[in-house]
Each structure stands twice: as structure tokens, then as C-alpha cells.
Amino acid sequence: ARGIPQQSGPPAVLTSVVSRPWGVRPRGRRALHAASSSLQEVMLTSERYGVQRLPFSRLSDSDVAFFEQTMPGRVITNPEELKPFNVDWLKSVRGCSKLMLKPRTTAEVSQVLRYCYERNLAVNPQGGNTGLVGGSVPVFDEIILSTVLMNRIVSFDKVSGILVCQAGCILEKLNEYLEEQGFIMPLDLGAKGSCHIGGNVATNAGGLRLLRYGCLRGTVLGLEVVLADGSALDCLASLRKDNTGYDLKQLFIGSEGTLGVITAVSILCPQKPKAVNLAFLGCQSFAKVLETFTTCRAMLGEILSACEFMDEKCLELVERHLKLSSPVTGSPFYVLIETSGSNSAHDEEKLNNFLEQAMTSGVVSDGTVAMDDKKIKASTWFIWICLICQMLWSLRERITEALTHDGYVYKYDISLPVGRLYDLVTDMRARLGRSAKNVVGYGHLGDGNLHLNITAESYSHSLLDAIEPFVYEWTARYNGSISAEHGLGFKKKQFIQYSKPNEAVFLMQRFKAMLDPKGILNPYKTLPSRS
């Protein structure tokens, strides 16, 4: 009976059917202290990568005094308090900032940057510090400008679905607020419990809902940004159509804090779906994964909201390090499919037709399904069902966390033609052999976005040399992108030419020179060093 999971049965049938309410998802797991290694073990970025400090001014006592007068009680100089903000979430890069500032308003950000520009002090904007390419922490002693206290929701229009908020609002908190209004955020990330919307926009974050709602370049309607010299740019439009001149906000979306500090965001939010279903399926080959995707895209159409995949190594790591268990095992690959719509009977019929087709054709070998059934909402099974749904999403969302427990992680965020998506994982395993502990692949199947992860007991420069630039050359050969959604940050900036022609990089450098002539905003990031 629906609502009571069947944990046994022949391998060629779906082994359980349970119900899932919209919004019940595991809390964002990517927090500052999630990884197992201690902060003291992280080598300084400047030493590991041999970076030379640019000729910025050094922080003085008079500088600290100015900031304390500007924002009393929100100036951090204690070395112990600063430690977690100098280290990235992966514990792979570390700076040595001696000062963190916590402004509450755009005016305060403007004051800070105006002063830093005049003094030639470098600034590192920082949101939730959940980035994966070293873009959110200092390389040397840059002042950390945190948006943690800029967490106010300015307005929400129920008619248009347009939300205006400060940049420091946590993604998960925004989604909780919107759900009470009958809406949701158009993006969803594994780091939602920690990441800030300003950081999401600054990195043009993708995530789990991009297949359905598109990227932030389409949903962000306006921005408020403070430029390097302290001048505030108010482009905080709440209009879906505005064709007056250049679309300046696009310059700052994905610029990773190198062109300006985002202080507020206007974003278009979709209505909360009334019916959501979830399927976790096992496939015997990646060719079957691709066939599953093409079949579900054709048969589910407008209700398809997520299509994720992972290999068996990912599932092993989640089970081993996080002690999670999967109701579906024994397959080389797994696919997680989510549908969301306004009519539960219509959506359930479409999903059942897809599953029947996938099972009878042999594309899918096993699976579990969570269907939105209003009839059991008041039953005592409801809480238990919610936990089952959390578990299914956790198997995908917590892979990143599980990898940090497996050793040092070399992370690659690649866009490729969907048919080639897993070939890179196979080729990398063959190339590295036993020099790597694990080589795994997972990601957003519907977007052609592969997360290639390689773990080792500890950082090894020789292993890095075996991975890079091979991984970028391979990606360029198939016209892919070396950064699908994580950005370039510090770690990937020197490889931008594998995805962009020299003319494009030169134009980007001209934009940077125009908006930040002294180069004080997030230096050493995003763009390659100029010779």
C-alpha cells in the first residue's frame, strides 16, 4: 500500500513508494566547521602556490581606529576569531587577514570601500564562505568584508513574486520565508544552510533547480552594488522588463566580488509547487543513465524539476563516512529525479507512465519513489515519510561533505555535452591509477554539469600535476567549460583560456581596470595575472 515502504521484492520492480511534501529537505550541510581537518593544518595559500603579494598598503592602528569609529562592536581583530574566516570550507587554502568588518548597511560598505580605496588597502568580500575554488578567503592580509549582518528582507510582492533583500540573507532562510507566502527561491544548493544570496549571485551559483527555473542571470532582476571607490550603484530594479541601455547587473553576476560588492538583490521567485514527487533509480551503465534522462525529459516535460546522477563510489563514500544508507543498492549508477507541479493526480500519472516505461525497457533496474499523496498527510506516517525524503536527497546533497572525510579533495566543476559527461571520470581513473585514493563523478545531468572529485590522503603537488592541465585540456577538446557553476576563484583563474579566447579575457581585464583601477577588490582571483 502507498505510504508503507516495501523493503524487499524482485530487483526489476520499484522497491518502495512513500510520500513527500514540498520543502522537506536536509538542512544545508556546508558550514565553516564541517570538515574534519583542523584549521592549523592548512598551509598558507601564498606558500603552497608561490604567490607574490601585490603592493597594497599594510593595515595600521589608525586604520583599525577608523573602522571601529565607523561600526563600533563590529570590527574583529582577535586572531582566534579570525581563523575560520581565513580558511575555505574545504580546508585547502588559507589567508592571514588581521581584520574583519561586519557592516549592516550599504552606506557602511560605501564608507569602508571609500576609505580602503584612498588608503590602497585590499578587501576580500565574504558571504557564507562556502565557495569551492578559494574565492571567498584572503590570499594574504586582505581585509575581510563580511555580509553576515546584512540579512534583512526589504520587501516581497505576492502578486509579482519579486523579493528584495540584503546580500547577507541565508538562502535557506529566504526559502523558509517565501514558503510561508506560497513561493520558493529559484535556486537550491547543498550549502543552503550557510550560503548568502549575495555570494550566490556573485558566483552565479547553479544548483539543483536550474533545470526548472534557469540560472541567476535570468531570475535576478536588479542589484545594488558598491564599487571599489565607495560609490553605490543602485540598479535594484523590480521589473521583469527594462530595456533602457546596457544591463549593468550582468557585469556583477558571476564576477566573484572583483568588480564590486553586492549589497542587495531583487529576484523573481516562482510559486511553491502543490505536488512534488521524487524517484531514486539504479542504472547498470552510464548509457542507461543517459537513456533515463532522455526518457524522463520526453515523458515528464514541464513537471521535471531536477535530474541528478551519481556513481556507485559516491554512494559508498556517503554510506562510509556519513553513515547514511540507501534503499537502492547494487547499481553502478544512480539517478535522482524530481517533479513538481500543480496537480498531484496529473503529475503522478505522468511519473507512473515514465517509471513503467523505464522499468519494462530495462533502462532502470531498481528504484524507490516518493509520491505526493494528500490522503496520508494527517496520518502518523507523515513524520517518518519526511525523514525518508530527507534521506533520499541527502544521498545526493551530502556527497561534497562525505568527500572531505576521505582526505584532500581535488575538485573540478565541468560543463560538457551530456553524452560525454562521464567519459572524463573514466579517463581520469585510468590516468591516475593508484596515485589517487578515489576518483568519483556526480552532478546535474539535466544541465550537463559534472562534478569530478579526486581524493588523496594528503595534498600532493605531483598528483596535481598529473590532473592539471590534463583535465582542462580534455574539457576544451570537447568544447566544455572548466567552471560550470563554482566560478574560477583563486584555484582556476590561470586556466580561463581553456574556456575563453584571449580577446575575451583581455576585455574582462579592461572592465576590471575601469571599475577597480587599483585592484583592491578580491585580488588574486577570477582573472589571470597580467604579465
Side-chain angles (χ1 to χ4, degrees):
R2 181 172 303 146
I4 303 176
Q6 307 296 317
Q7 295 301 330
S8 60
V13 297
L14 296 173
T15 54
S16 64
V17 181
V18 294
S19 179
R20 178 224 164 166
W22 173 260
V24 178
R25 297 281 293 278
R27 291 182 63 84
R29 306 299 301 185
R30 196 181 300 166
L32 290 174
H33 307 290
S36 57
S37 57
S38 67
L39 301 176
Q40 291 86 346
E41 294 172 343
V42 183
M43 184 184 295
L44 284 169
T45 305
S46 57
E47 294 178 1
R48 172 170 287 171
Y49 292 94
V51 187
Q52 296 296 311
R53 186 183 185 276
L54 294 174
F56 297 113
S57 298
R58 306 266 182 186
L59 190 70
S60 67
D61 291 342
S62 61
D63 296 327
V64 176
F66 171 82
F67 294 127
E68 286 179 337
Q69 184 179 15
T70 303
M71 51 186 78
R74 290 175 283 134
V75 177
I76 310 299
T77 56
N78 184 305
E80 287 301 312
E81 290 184 63
L82 286 169
K83 275 183 179 179
F85 304 99
N86 267 305
V87 182
D88 72 324
W89 182 81
L90 288 172
K91 309 295 181 283
S92 62
V93 288
R94 177 166 69 94
C96 51
S97 178
K98 298 175 182 177
L99 178 69
M100 182 167 73
L101 305 175
K102 296 181 177 181
R104 283 200 178 102
T105 66
T106 299
E108 287 181 342
V109 175
S110 185
Q111 282 184 282
V112 168
L113 289 186
R114 186 178 300 113
Y115 181 88
C116 290
Y117 188 77
E118 292 172 356
R119 281 276 294 118
N120 198 35
L121 292 166
V123 177
N124 183 102
Q126 187 177 94
N129 196 14
T130 58
L132 300 173
V133 288
S136 60
V137 295
V139 175
F140 289 96
D141 57 346
E142 301 90 272
I143 295 170
I144 299 172
L145 183 63
S146 173
T147 58
V148 66
L149 298 182
M150 301 184 71
N151 55 7
R152 186 170 61 90
I153 293 174
V154 178
S155 65
F156 178 68
D157 186 335
K158 281 189 175 183
V159 177
S160 65
I162 296 171
L163 172 76
V164 179
C165 64
Q166 287 186 300
C169 291
I170 292 173
L171 179 60
E172 187 171 54
K173 296 296 183 183
L174 290 176
N175 204 67
E176 290 172 354
Y177 167 82
L178 287 169
E179 284 196 352
E180 293 176 358
Q181 318 293 320
F183 289 77
I184 59 170
M185 288 295 286
L187 75 159
D188 188 14
L189 312 171
K192 57 183 169 285
S194 305
C195 65
H196 296 184
I197 186 62
N200 299 151
V201 174
T203 56
N204 190 26
L208 303 166
R209 291 179 183 166
L210 190 142
L211 176 63
R212 178 66 175 270
Y213 301 116
C215 70
L216 288 172
R217 292 195 182 278
T219 54
V220 171
L221 302 180
L223 295 175
E224 183 179 64
V225 182
V226 179
L227 303 181
D229 64 359
S231 57
L233 179 65
D234 185 357
C235 290
L236 201 61
S238 294
L239 302 171
R240 294 191 66 178
K241 300 178 78 172
D242 179 6
N243 207 15
T244 52
Y246 303 128
D247 190 2
L248 294 179
K249 69 176 181 291
Q250 298 296 346
L251 269 179
F252 302 98
I253 299 173
S255 67
E256 303 184 69
T258 61
L259 299 181
V261 177
I262 296 171
T263 55
V265 178
S266 171
I267 189 166
L268 180 65
C269 304
Q271 285 194 295
K272 177 180 174 180
K274 294 186 172 72
V276 178
N277 302 309
L278 192 67
F280 190 78
L281 311 172
C283 297
Q284 292 303 308
S285 67
F286 192 71
K288 298 290 188 185
V289 169
L290 293 176
E291 198 173 342
T292 300
F293 171 58
T294 56
T295 304
C296 80
R297 185 176 57 184
M299 297 187 69
L300 299 178
E302 77 287 352
I303 64 170
L304 181 63
S305 54
C307 188
E308 304 288 305
F309 89 97
M310 67 186 80
D311 61 23
E312 60 183 339
K313 286 287 186 181
C314 291
L315 197 59
E316 287 176 15
L317 292 174
V318 168
E319 290 178 332
R320 183 192 315 156
H321 296 302
L322 305 182
K323 309 305 178 187
L324 300 180
S325 59
S326 171
V328 183
T329 58
S331 298
F333 295 93
Y334 300 90
V335 178
L336 188 149
I337 294 169
E338 182 185 78
T339 68
S340 55
S342 59
N343 187 311
S344 57
H346 167 268
D347 295 358
E348 185 175 331
E349 181 182 5
K350 293 191 79 166
L351 182 59
N352 282 333
N353 289 339
F354 156 70
L355 293 172
E356 182 179 0
Q357 171 67 22
M359 297 299 293
T360 56
S361 65
V363 173
V364 169
S365 57
D366 196 3
T368 214
V369 182
M371 287 188 174
D372 189 45
D373 191 339
K374 305 297 182 186
K375 290 179 291 186
I376 68 165
K377 292 287 174 141
S379 75
T380 56
W381 288 101
F382 183 61
I383 295 176
W384 179 86
I385 288 163
C386 292
L387 295 175
I388 292 293
C389 297
Q390 286 185 7
M391 175 202 66
L392 291 177
W393 265 115
S394 291
L395 295 173
R396 163 61 183 88
E397 288 190 318
R398 296 184 67 185
I399 296 171
T400 302
E401 181 186 355
L403 284 160
T404 64
H405 295 279
D406 203 52
Y408 186 89
V409 188
Y410 302 83
K411 300 188 75 68
Y412 299 92
D413 164 48
I414 306 293
S415 277
L416 286 166
V418 179
R420 289 281 183 182
L421 210 55
Y422 201 75
D423 292 349
L424 177 55
V425 183
T426 303
D427 288 356
M428 188 62 77
R429 278 193 188 129
R431 178 178 175 83
L432 300 182
R434 294 189 176 184
S435 61
K437 188 175 179 182
N438 277 298
V439 179
V440 306
Y442 66 98
H444 313 298
L445 193 61
D447 312 328
N449 183 184
L450 169 70
H451 294 311
L452 169 68
N453 286 255
I454 299 152
T455 64
E457 291 296 341
S458 59
Y459 174 82
S460 165
H461 200 75
S462 61
L463 180 56
L464 181 63
D465 287 342
I467 300 168
E468 300 175 3
F470 172 80
V471 63
Y472 303 124
E473 292 169 346
W474 197 104
T475 302
R477 190 181 313 137
Y478 295 105
N479 300 312
S481 170
I482 67 166
S483 177
E485 61 180 6
H486 292 168
L488 295 169
F490 172 79
K491 294 181 181 179
K492 316 293 183 187
K493 63 168 186 171
Q494 292 299 129
F495 302 104
I496 190 174
Q497 71 273 12
Y498 287 100
S499 293
K500 291 289 186 291
N502 291 334
E503 295 81 3
V505 176
F506 177 63
L507 187 58
M508 292 179 199
Q509 290 171 330
R510 289 177 66 185
F511 281 131
K512 171 70 172 174
M514 178 183 68
L515 293 172
D516 182 15
K518 294 185 178 182
I520 67 167
L521 288 178
N522 220 10
Y524 320 102
K525 317 282 178 60
T526 306
L527 296 178
S529 304
R530 302 184 76 165
S531 56

mmCIF file of all heavy atoms in Angstrom, residues 155-164 177-184 238 267-272:
data_model
loop_
_atom_site.group_PDB
_atom_site.id
_atom_site.type_symbol
_atom_site.label_atom_id
_atom_site.label_comp_id
_atom_site.label_asym_id
_atom_site.label_seq_id
_atom_site.Cartn_x
_atom_site.Cartn_y
_atom_site.Cartn_z
ATOM 1 N N SER A 155 11.523 43.620 0.995
ATOM 2 C CA SER A 155 10.129 43.561 0.559
ATOM 3 C C SER A 155 9.871 42.278 -0.220
ATOM 4 O O SER A 155 10.801 41.653 -0.740
ATOM 5 C CB SER A 155 9.779 44.769 -0.325
ATOM 6 O OG SER A 155 10.523 44.739 -1.538
ATOM 7 N N PHE A 156 8.592 41.913 -0.276
ATOM 8 C CA PHE A 156 8.169 40.804 -1.135
ATOM 9 C C PHE A 156 6.789 41.120 -1.687
ATOM 10 O O PHE A 156 5.864 41.432 -0.935
ATOM 11 C CB PHE A 156 8.150 39.470 -0.402
ATOM 12 C CG PHE A 156 7.660 38.346 -1.271
ATOM 13 C CD1 PHE A 156 8.420 37.920 -2.357
ATOM 14 C CD2 PHE A 156 6.433 37.739 -1.045
ATOM 15 C CE1 PHE A 156 7.972 36.908 -3.196
ATOM 16 C CE2 PHE A 156 5.983 36.715 -1.866
ATOM 17 C CZ PHE A 156 6.756 36.309 -2.943
ATOM 18 N N ASP A 157 6.667 41.053 -2.998
ATOM 19 C CA ASP A 157 5.403 41.339 -3.679
ATOM 20 C C ASP A 157 4.750 40.014 -4.072
ATOM 21 O O ASP A 157 5.248 39.303 -4.946
ATOM 22 C CB ASP A 157 5.681 42.190 -4.921
ATOM 23 C CG ASP A 157 4.404 42.663 -5.604
ATOM 24 O OD1 ASP A 157 3.356 41.993 -5.450
ATOM 25 O OD2 ASP A 157 4.444 43.681 -6.303
ATOM 26 N N LYS A 158 3.632 39.691 -3.425
ATOM 27 C CA LYS A 158 2.954 38.414 -3.704
ATOM 28 C C LYS A 158 2.353 38.353 -5.104
ATOM 29 O O LYS A 158 2.156 37.261 -5.641
ATOM 30 C CB LYS A 158 1.843 38.189 -2.675
ATOM 31 C CG LYS A 158 2.326 37.691 -1.334
ATOM 32 C CD LYS A 158 1.133 37.296 -0.469
ATOM 33 C CE LYS A 158 1.584 36.684 0.838
ATOM 34 N NZ LYS A 158 0.435 36.225 1.659
ATOM 35 N N VAL A 159 2.053 39.486 -5.666
ATOM 36 C CA VAL A 159 1.456 39.499 -6.998
ATOM 37 C C VAL A 159 2.499 39.141 -8.057
ATOM 38 O O VAL A 159 2.282 38.274 -8.906
ATOM 39 C CB VAL A 159 0.825 40.868 -7.312
ATOM 40 C CG1 VAL A 159 0.274 40.887 -8.737
ATOM 41 C CG2 VAL A 159 -0.285 41.180 -6.307
ATOM 42 N N SER A 160 3.648 39.789 -7.987
ATOM 43 C CA SER A 160 4.699 39.560 -8.993
ATOM 44 C C SER A 160 5.661 38.445 -8.608
ATOM 45 O O SER A 160 6.348 37.892 -9.466
ATOM 46 C CB SER A 160 5.484 40.850 -9.211
ATOM 47 O OG SER A 160 6.174 41.212 -8.022
ATOM 48 N N GLY A 161 5.726 38.122 -7.313
ATOM 49 C CA GLY A 161 6.688 37.128 -6.856
ATOM 50 C C GLY A 161 8.104 37.664 -6.780
ATOM 51 O O GLY A 161 9.067 36.895 -6.818
ATOM 52 N N ILE A 162 8.262 38.985 -6.628
ATOM 53 C CA ILE A 162 9.592 39.598 -6.610
ATOM 54 C C ILE A 162 10.017 39.888 -5.172
ATOM 55 O O ILE A 162 9.320 40.566 -4.414
ATOM 56 C CB ILE A 162 9.615 40.889 -7.450
ATOM 57 C CG1 ILE A 162 9.349 40.532 -8.921
ATOM 58 C CG2 ILE A 162 10.957 41.602 -7.311
ATOM 59 C CD1 ILE A 162 9.140 41.742 -9.815
ATOM 60 N N LEU A 163 11.180 39.342 -4.812
ATOM 61 C CA LEU A 163 11.758 39.505 -3.481
ATOM 62 C C LEU A 163 12.926 40.480 -3.566
ATOM 63 O O LEU A 163 13.763 40.386 -4.468
ATOM 64 C CB LEU A 163 12.258 38.152 -2.965
ATOM 65 C CG LEU A 163 13.074 38.152 -1.669
ATOM 66 C CD1 LEU A 163 12.148 38.347 -0.466
ATOM 67 C CD2 LEU A 163 13.855 36.846 -1.524
ATOM 68 N N VAL A 164 12.990 41.418 -2.621
ATOM 69 C CA VAL A 164 14.136 42.318 -2.490
ATOM 70 C C VAL A 164 14.719 42.099 -1.106
ATOM 71 O O VAL A 164 13.996 42.165 -0.100
ATOM 72 C CB VAL A 164 13.733 43.794 -2.686
ATOM 73 C CG1 VAL A 164 14.957 44.701 -2.515
ATOM 74 C CG2 VAL A 164 13.099 44.014 -4.054
ATOM 75 N N TYR A 177 11.040 31.721 4.452
ATOM 76 C CA TYR A 177 10.173 32.905 4.445
ATOM 77 C C TYR A 177 9.201 32.860 3.269
ATOM 78 O O TYR A 177 7.997 33.114 3.418
ATOM 79 C CB TYR A 177 11.030 34.167 4.389
ATOM 80 C CG TYR A 177 10.265 35.427 4.075
ATOM 81 C CD1 TYR A 177 9.573 36.110 5.075
ATOM 82 C CD2 TYR A 177 10.225 35.930 2.779
ATOM 83 C CE1 TYR A 177 8.860 37.272 4.787
ATOM 84 C CE2 TYR A 177 9.517 37.086 2.482
ATOM 85 C CZ TYR A 177 8.826 37.749 3.484
ATOM 86 O OH TYR A 177 8.115 38.888 3.189
ATOM 87 N N LEU A 178 9.723 32.516 2.097
ATOM 88 C CA LEU A 178 8.896 32.502 0.893
ATOM 89 C C LEU A 178 7.845 31.392 0.936
ATOM 90 O O LEU A 178 6.724 31.569 0.451
ATOM 91 C CB LEU A 178 9.778 32.339 -0.345
ATOM 92 C CG LEU A 178 10.593 33.567 -0.739
ATOM 93 C CD1 LEU A 178 11.611 33.199 -1.804
ATOM 94 C CD2 LEU A 178 9.691 34.696 -1.224
ATOM 95 N N GLU A 179 8.199 30.246 1.491
ATOM 96 C CA GLU A 179 7.243 29.137 1.558
ATOM 97 C C GLU A 179 6.000 29.530 2.346
ATOM 98 O O GLU A 179 4.894 29.094 2.047
ATOM 99 C CB GLU A 179 7.902 27.898 2.159
ATOM 100 C CG GLU A 179 8.818 27.177 1.189
ATOM 101 C CD GLU A 179 9.153 25.775 1.644
ATOM 102 O OE1 GLU A 179 8.795 25.408 2.784
ATOM 103 O OE2 GLU A 179 9.759 25.042 0.855
ATOM 104 N N GLU A 180 6.191 30.368 3.355
ATOM 105 C CA GLU A 180 5.041 30.838 4.131
ATOM 106 C C GLU A 180 4.131 31.726 3.291
ATOM 107 O O GLU A 180 2.945 31.870 3.584
ATOM 108 C CB GLU A 180 5.538 31.620 5.360
ATOM 109 C CG GLU A 180 6.268 30.749 6.383
ATOM 110 C CD GLU A 180 6.822 31.574 7.528
ATOM 111 O OE1 GLU A 180 6.658 32.828 7.496
ATOM 112 O OE2 GLU A 180 7.409 30.983 8.454
ATOM 113 N N GLN A 181 4.699 32.307 2.226
ATOM 114 C CA GLN A 181 3.926 33.158 1.323
ATOM 115 C C GLN A 181 3.417 32.395 0.103
ATOM 116 O O GLN A 181 2.760 32.969 -0.771
ATOM 117 C CB GLN A 181 4.797 34.329 0.831
ATOM 118 C CG GLN A 181 5.667 34.996 1.872
ATOM 119 C CD GLN A 181 4.868 35.736 2.915
ATOM 120 O OE1 GLN A 181 3.873 36.373 2.583
ATOM 121 N NE2 GLN A 181 5.284 35.646 4.170
ATOM 122 N N GLY A 182 3.764 31.092 0.026
ATOM 123 C CA GLY A 182 3.340 30.292 -1.117
ATOM 124 C C GLY A 182 4.293 30.348 -2.295
ATOM 125 O O GLY A 182 3.917 30.019 -3.428
ATOM 126 N N PHE A 183 5.560 30.737 -2.035
ATOM 127 C CA PHE A 183 6.575 30.828 -3.081
ATOM 128 C C PHE A 183 7.842 30.098 -2.635
ATOM 129 O O PHE A 183 7.946 29.642 -1.492
ATOM 130 C CB PHE A 183 6.906 32.298 -3.392
ATOM 131 C CG PHE A 183 5.813 33.044 -4.113
ATOM 132 C CD1 PHE A 183 4.683 33.489 -3.429
ATOM 133 C CD2 PHE A 183 5.898 33.302 -5.471
ATOM 134 C CE1 PHE A 183 3.671 34.173 -4.086
ATOM 135 C CE2 PHE A 183 4.892 33.986 -6.140
ATOM 136 C CZ PHE A 183 3.780 34.428 -5.444
ATOM 137 N N ILE A 184 8.824 29.995 -3.544
ATOM 138 C CA ILE A 184 10.120 29.403 -3.221
ATOM 139 C C ILE A 184 11.215 30.209 -3.912
ATOM 140 O O ILE A 184 10.961 30.976 -4.830
ATOM 141 C CB ILE A 184 10.223 27.928 -3.668
ATOM 142 C CG1 ILE A 184 10.006 27.813 -5.180
ATOM 143 C CG2 ILE A 184 9.265 27.048 -2.885
ATOM 144 C CD1 ILE A 184 10.321 26.442 -5.755
ATOM 145 N N SER A 238 12.822 46.255 -9.857
ATOM 146 C CA SER A 238 11.848 45.198 -9.590
ATOM 147 C C SER A 238 10.932 45.028 -10.797
ATOM 148 O O SER A 238 9.724 44.831 -10.657
ATOM 149 C CB SER A 238 11.044 45.523 -8.326
ATOM 150 O OG SER A 238 11.880 45.504 -7.189
ATOM 151 N N ILE A 267 15.026 39.615 -6.887
ATOM 152 C CA ILE A 267 14.997 38.327 -7.566
ATOM 153 C C ILE A 267 13.564 37.840 -7.767
ATOM 154 O O ILE A 267 12.703 38.009 -6.890
ATOM 155 C CB ILE A 267 15.840 37.283 -6.783
ATOM 156 C CG1 ILE A 267 16.018 35.996 -7.570
ATOM 157 C CG2 ILE A 267 15.270 37.030 -5.392
ATOM 158 C CD1 ILE A 267 17.102 35.078 -7.004
ATOM 159 N N LEU A 268 13.317 37.243 -8.917
ATOM 160 C CA LEU A 268 11.998 36.714 -9.251
ATOM 161 C C LEU A 268 11.860 35.305 -8.697
ATOM 162 O O LEU A 268 12.677 34.431 -8.979
ATOM 163 C CB LEU A 268 11.817 36.699 -10.769
ATOM 164 C CG LEU A 268 10.482 36.183 -11.302
ATOM 165 C CD1 LEU A 268 9.347 37.100 -10.890
ATOM 166 C CD2 LEU A 268 10.542 36.052 -12.824
ATOM 167 N N CYS A 269 10.805 35.072 -7.919
ATOM 168 C CA CYS A 269 10.621 33.797 -7.238
ATOM 169 C C CYS A 269 9.389 33.061 -7.774
ATOM 170 O O CYS A 269 8.314 33.657 -7.885
ATOM 171 C CB CYS A 269 10.468 34.013 -5.734
ATOM 172 S SG CYS A 269 11.861 34.906 -5.000
ATOM 173 N N PRO A 270 9.527 31.778 -8.087
ATOM 174 C CA PRO A 270 8.376 31.011 -8.574
ATOM 175 C C PRO A 270 7.437 30.621 -7.439
ATOM 176 O O PRO A 270 7.826 30.600 -6.273
ATOM 177 C CB PRO A 270 9.021 29.767 -9.195
ATOM 178 C CG PRO A 270 10.301 29.598 -8.455
ATOM 179 C CD PRO A 270 10.767 30.980 -8.097
ATOM 180 N N GLN A 271 6.213 30.294 -7.813
ATOM 181 C CA GLN A 271 5.261 29.826 -6.808
ATOM 182 C C GLN A 271 5.649 28.435 -6.309
ATOM 183 O O GLN A 271 6.227 27.629 -7.028
ATOM 184 C CB GLN A 271 3.848 29.790 -7.389
ATOM 185 C CG GLN A 271 3.236 31.179 -7.529
ATOM 186 C CD GLN A 271 1.740 31.110 -7.765
ATOM 187 O OE1 GLN A 271 1.300 30.615 -8.789
ATOM 188 N NE2 GLN A 271 0.953 31.612 -6.816
ATOM 189 N N LYS A 272 5.302 28.188 -5.069
ATOM 190 C CA LYS A 272 5.580 26.894 -4.458
ATOM 191 C C LYS A 272 4.714 25.822 -5.116
ATOM 192 O O LYS A 272 3.487 25.963 -5.190
ATOM 193 C CB LYS A 272 5.257 26.983 -2.959
ATOM 194 C CG LYS A 272 5.420 25.702 -2.183
ATOM 195 C CD LYS A 272 5.060 25.958 -0.725
ATOM 196 C CE LYS A 272 5.069 24.678 0.088
ATOM 197 N NZ LYS A 272 4.706 24.943 1.506
#
